[in-house]
Amino acid sequence: MADQVADWNGPSGERWVANQAQLDAMAAVFGQAAIEAAAPATGERVLDIGCGAGASSLALAARVGAGGHVLGVDISEALIGRARALAPQDIPVQFRVADAGSAELPEGAFDILFSRFGVMFFDDPTAAFAHMRRALKPGARVAFVCWRGIAENDWVRLPMDAIKGIVPLTAPPDPEAPGPFSFGDRGRVKRILTAAGFTDTALAPFDASIPFGEGATRDAAIDEAVRMTLEVGPLSRALVDQPDDIRARASVAVRAAFADLPGERSLMIGRATWIVTARNPAS
C-alpha cells in the first residue's frame, strides 16, 4: 500500500485532480448503478471507500438526507482536498485522508459499505475487508463497483495492444496484484468477501459504452481521448519512464487504435464492470 499512497499523493493524484470533471463524468453511470444496488435510505450512515474527489459521496449524501451521514475516505490528499472544495457546506458528508483497510474507524457505525472503483488496491484485501467490516452495523449492506478484466475493457485493451512493439516489454503483472483490474475474477472476489466474514455475496455484470474525450470535431475528440489515455490510467504508468520519442510513437499508435471507434464529438468506448453486493451477518 506504501507504493499506492506515494503514487496517489504524487503523479496519479495530480493528474486525477487535473482531469477530475471528465473522469467523474465517465464513472458516474457505474457509481449510480452501485448506489442503486446499495439502496441507501433516509437517515442511513455510509462509508465510501476510495472516494476520490467525492462525487460518489455527494450522490450518497443526497440519498441519505440531512438525518444521514457519509464518510468518504481516500489515501490521496490531493483528491480529498478537491472533494472538500467541491462539497456544499450544508450536506451530511465528511472527507478523511486515510487507508480504510487499516485506519481507525468507528466500530459498528455504518449501515452501508460502498465504493466506486476504490477497493481493488489493498495489499491484503481479505484483511482490509475484515477490518472495514468491524465498522459496520450487524446486517449492514455492501455494494461496490469494480472493473472486470482488461480483455473486456476496450478503454484499456485498445491502447495497451497498440503500444506492443513500441514500449519495451515487461513481465505481465500478477492478475491478483493490487491494481484496477485485480477484482476481475468473480471467484476471487467471492473468496475475499467470504473470508472477511461477509455473506450473501453476489456479482452482476454491468457494461456501458461511455463518451471518452470531447472536442468540437471528431479529430479534436480523438486528440483529447489520446491525451487523457497518456495522462491517466494503466497506459500512463507504462510510459512513465519512457523517452519522448517512445511517447510520441505510442501517441500515434493509440490515435490509430481509437480511429475506428464510433462517435463524433466524443468517442464511445466500452467499459465492463462488476456490481458486487454482500451483507454483514446480522449477529
Side-chain angles (χ1 to χ4, degrees), residues 57-76:
S57 299
L58 299 183
L60 289 160
R63 294 286 287 266
V64 301
H69 180 74
V70 179
L71 174 60
V73 178
D74 200 282
I75 60 174
S76 171

Side-chain angles (χ1 to χ4, degrees), residues 62-117:
R63 294 286 287 266
V64 301
H69 180 74
V70 179
L71 174 60
V73 178
D74 200 282
I75 60 174
S76 171
E77 293 186 12
L79 284 167
I80 290 293
R82 181 70 168 166
R84 289 170 175 157
L86 292 172
Q89 292 294 314
D90 57 346
I91 64 166
V93 64
Q94 176 187 358
F95 294 108
R96 180 178 165 195
V97 179
D99 172 7
S102 58
E104 185 175 340
L105 297 168
E107 192 163 334
F110 296 97
D111 300 283
I112 298 172
L113 176 67
F114 179 87
S115 182
R116 189 192 75 178
F117 301 124

Side-chain angles (χ1 to χ4, degrees), residues 14-29:
E14 292 164 7
R15 289 192 293 262
W16 235 101
V17 169
N19 294 283
Q20 173 263 319
Q22 301 99 308
L23 291 166
D24 274 335
M26 288 188 289
V29 66

Side-chain angles (χ1 to χ4, degrees), residues 214-229:
E214 188 175 344
T217 64
R218 178 172 169 80
D219 278 348
I222 295 175
D223 287 343
E224 176 65 5
V226 172
R227 181 195 70 78
M228 288 189 66
T229 301

Side-chain angles (χ1 to χ4, degrees), residues 48 54 110 189:
D48 184 7
F110 296 97
V189 175

